[in-house]
Amino acid sequence: EMHVPIVVADVNWINLRAARAASVPAYHGNMLSEAAEHSVDLNSFDYLLAATDNESYNTLVCSNFAYEFGRNRVFQIRASGRMPGDSIDAVETLGGRQALDLPWTFEALNEKARAGARFYASKLTDKFNFDDLKASQDGQRLLVLVIRPDGQLTFPTPNQPLAPAVGDVLISFG
């Protein structure tokens, strides 16, 4: 069994309810605050995903932690249906890499979650490959990330589709 350490952080206590109920480590507060700096030990984490409904905040969080994690290990999801290249897009060197392709915005993911969507983990084997997984899901799930056997995480990005292999664990949402 593979263990991937995580912590869910939010300034809204109510938003952490599901994580707390599932015994997922949670931090109540602003990740950009001095209090977070002293309360959240980031040494056991290799990646950061900023996934709030505030795209500017996501960009700030990713920019703030890019030095600590490395720019290739900070990701954010789009908060709305804006398209890349819109005039209010941040400079490309700010923020994190875009995780998930459009139309998978915060709003779209949140709507799916309200409708009952959940996260699923599927391990690829010689007898159950990526094509088998896609066929079994019938396009109803979004591939969120791949956990490699060595623990490396790979998020699909618009410019870097995934190439899952035997032994990988795929996390999907739907």
Side-chain angles (χ1 to χ4, degrees), residues 2-8 24-25 41 43-47 151 153:
M2 183 178 297
H3 174 74
V4 177
I6 67 165
V7 66
V8 177
V24 173
D41 179 13
N43 291 323
S44 54
F45 305 107
D46 294 321
Y47 297 87
L153 302 183

Side-chain angles (χ1 to χ4, degrees), residues 18-19 24 27 33 50 78 80 87 95 117 127 170:
V24 173
Y27 172 73
S33 71
R78 289 193 171 279
S80 66
S87 61
K127 295 182 184 194
L170 278 62

Side-chain angles (χ1 to χ4, degrees), residues 24-38:
V24 173
Y27 172 73
H28 176 238
N30 184 337
M31 285 302 296
L32 298 174
S33 71
E34 190 173 329
E37 207 173 298
H38 299 295

Side-chain angles (χ1 to χ4, degrees), residues 89-138:
D89 269 349
V91 178
E92 211 171 287
T93 56
L94 294 177
R97 296 170 64 196
Q98 181 184 335
L100 312 181
D101 206 353
L102 293 171
W104 294 101
T105 62
F106 176 87
E107 288 129 0
L109 294 169
N110 210 21
E111 185 177 309
K112 293 272 187 198
R114 281 193 298 272
R118 297 290 176 257
F119 287 96
Y120 298 89
S122 305
K123 186 170 186 174
L124 298 184
T125 66
D126 290 330
K127 295 182 184 194
F128 186 75
N129 64 30
F130 188 44
D131 290 333
D132 296 329
L133 178 67
K134 288 191 297 188
S136 72
Q137 295 177 351
D138 195 27

